[in-house]
Amino acid sequence: MRRGLAIFLLINALIVAWLVRSVYTLLTLLVEDGSADAIHSAEIPAPNSPMIDNMSQYIPKIIHQTYVNESVPEVWREAQRSCIDLHEDYEYKMWTDAKSREFVATEYPSFLNTFDNYSQPIQRADAIRYFVLAHFGGIYIDLDDGCNRRLDPLLSYPAWVRRTAPTGISNDAMGAIPQHPFFLKVIKSLRHYDKNWHLPYITVMYSTGPLFLSVIWKEYMSSGHNIGDGPAGGRVRILMMDDYNRFPWSFFSHHKGSSWHGKDARLIFWMGSHWMMLTAMGFLIAGIIGLGAWWIWGRVLLLGQRKSRRKDGGVWERAVAWSWRGGKGSYELAERHEV
């Protein structure tokens, strides 16, 4: 029984180790706050401050946005116009579905098959923003993000993304110089993460969306490339929530968005708001499964022992049940063993 218990515990330990290894990066995101690479408020001059003119500019003055076509819905036009009006000296690029596909076909033809076969249109909208930042550089802004102030201070960081809640980074506002190593890694990783998780929300989030970007960010930091602040460096700076959109002096203002979310997204959000209850239920179910597995394992061992005893007992009975009567030149039944 002790040997059986040891084998059972070893098998369970291997299963747990494999599961932890499979989701290790996701687990580390739970304790990653981005503070080591944060763009602190003290680094950012006030709007219209003359200090902005003395800051280095690494990122080119380009604003990228994406939509199905040129006809942006009314609900987002105010946000779109706020960014254009505040940045008349910036080049503005609207990446429609047609322009996006043409760009990928011309510049990254090896990715075109993956791009065309994405099951959700938002996956193509996600992917194209990574490609244009890696190729042209500039700042990408979702259509539901309006601009509160000029983005010039953010041009001083060769690459930046924004912190999101509850953990990780988002892909709705980000900037980079052309060919920044982080975004090169992002576009290189897209094909590997192109998997169908059966729930559209999870599939999008983990194949091209913020969860995908957060995982690549953690892998990038672990690789040792997240160092160096100049144009030749590889560090990715983090725009924190306060400077993103929480205050009047923040860079962005948020408008209604997430138009691609479906019923499964509402389920995920419900799970997120009830995570304590679901965690407790998860431990309870895991305990029940563990006890059930131990009971089955014990029964298997018990049946094996019974079969072994019967086999050994039968051999012994046949060996001792008959004795030789030499005088008569024959065998006779001497004793019987009950097994």
Side-chain angles (χ1 to χ4, degrees), residues 193-229:
Y193 280 82
D194 180 26
K195 295 178 175 64
N196 187 347
W197 296 93
H198 302 293
L199 289 174
Y201 181 81
I202 298 298
T203 297
V204 171
M205 291 290 285
Y206 201 43
S207 65
T208 60
L211 184 56
F212 158 77
L213 190 66
S214 297
V215 169
I216 302 304
W217 172 56
K218 283 295 295 182
E219 291 178 356
Y220 182 76
M221 289 193 291
S222 299
S223 70
H225 294 107
N226 193 45
I227 55 174
D229 288 314

Side-chain angles (χ1 to χ4, degrees), residues 31-44:
V31 294
E32 178 60 63
D33 61 5
S35 59
D37 298 299
I39 301 174
H40 298 287
S41 297
E43 299 178 47
I44 303 173

Side-chain angles (χ1 to χ4, degrees), residues 243-274:
D243 295 299
Y244 166 58
N245 72 351
R246 285 183 173 174
F247 298 99
W249 43 263
S250 301
F251 284 101
F252 302 99
S253 59
H254 190 68
H255 297 242
K256 181 181 179 181
S258 302
S259 59
W260 60 274
H261 288 175
K263 293 181 180 179
D264 63 319
R266 291 193 287 273
L267 171 62
I268 300 298
F269 293 150
W270 179 87
M271 292 171 66
S273 62
H274 297 82

Side-chain angles (χ1 to χ4, degrees), residues 115-319:
F115 189 79
D116 285 341
N117 287 315
Y118 278 133
S119 61
Q120 304 292 327
I122 186 62
Q123 291 173 286
R124 286 184 282 276
D126 281 337
I128 193 63
R129 67 190 69 180
Y130 305 136
F131 277 103
V132 298
L133 285 182
H135 191 84
F136 297 105
I139 294 177
Y140 171 82
I141 309 170
D142 263 0
L143 281 172
D144 56 357
D145 277 320
C147 294
N148 274 342
R149 54 177 291 186
R150 282 182 63 88
L151 305 177
D152 296 350
L154 297 177
L155 303 179
S156 300
Y157 306 99
W160 60 269
V161 291
R162 81 162 182 92
R163 179 84 164 84
T164 191
T167 186
I169 58 177
S170 185
N171 66 352
D172 57 355
M174 49 192 176
I177 60 174
Q179 304 298 307
H180 191 277
F182 172 65
F183 283 98
L184 292 178
K185 178 176 176 60
V186 170
I187 63 175
K188 185 178 179 180
S189 302
L190 282 168
R191 188 177 287 108
H192 175 72
Y193 280 82
D194 180 26
K195 295 178 175 64
N196 187 347
W197 296 93
H198 302 293
L199 289 174
Y201 181 81
I202 298 298
T203 297
V204 171
M205 291 290 285
Y206 201 43
S207 65
T208 60
L211 184 56
F212 158 77
L213 190 66
S214 297
V215 169
I216 302 304
W217 172 56
K218 283 295 295 182
E219 291 178 356
Y220 182 76
M221 289 193 291
S222 299
S223 70
H225 294 107
N226 193 45
I227 55 174
D229 288 314
R235 191 179 182 192
V236 179
R237 301 299 298 273
I238 308 300
L239 184 67
M240 304 305 278
M241 297 293 291
D242 286 355
D243 295 299
Y244 166 58
N245 72 351
R246 285 183 173 174
F247 298 99
W249 43 263
S250 301
F251 284 101
F252 302 99
S253 59
H254 190 68
H255 297 242
K256 181 181 179 181
S258 302
S259 59
W260 60 274
H261 288 175
K263 293 181 180 179
D264 63 319
R266 291 193 287 273
L267 171 62
I268 300 298
F269 293 150
W270 179 87
M271 292 171 66
S273 62
H274 297 82
W275 67 271
M276 291 186 67
M277 178 188 71
L278 293 173
T279 300
M281 289 178 61
F283 278 112
L284 177 62
I285 293 171
I288 293 172
I289 292 174
L291 289 174
W294 171 241
W295 182 84
I296 293 172
W297 181 257
R299 297 295 297 175
V300 170
L301 290 179
L302 183 60
L303 289 173
Q305 290 174 354
R306 286 180 177 176
K307 288 182 179 180
S308 177
R309 287 174 181 174
R310 287 175 181 173
K311 182 178 179 181
D312 293 343
V315 171
W316 174 248
E317 183 177 342
R318 287 192 293 273

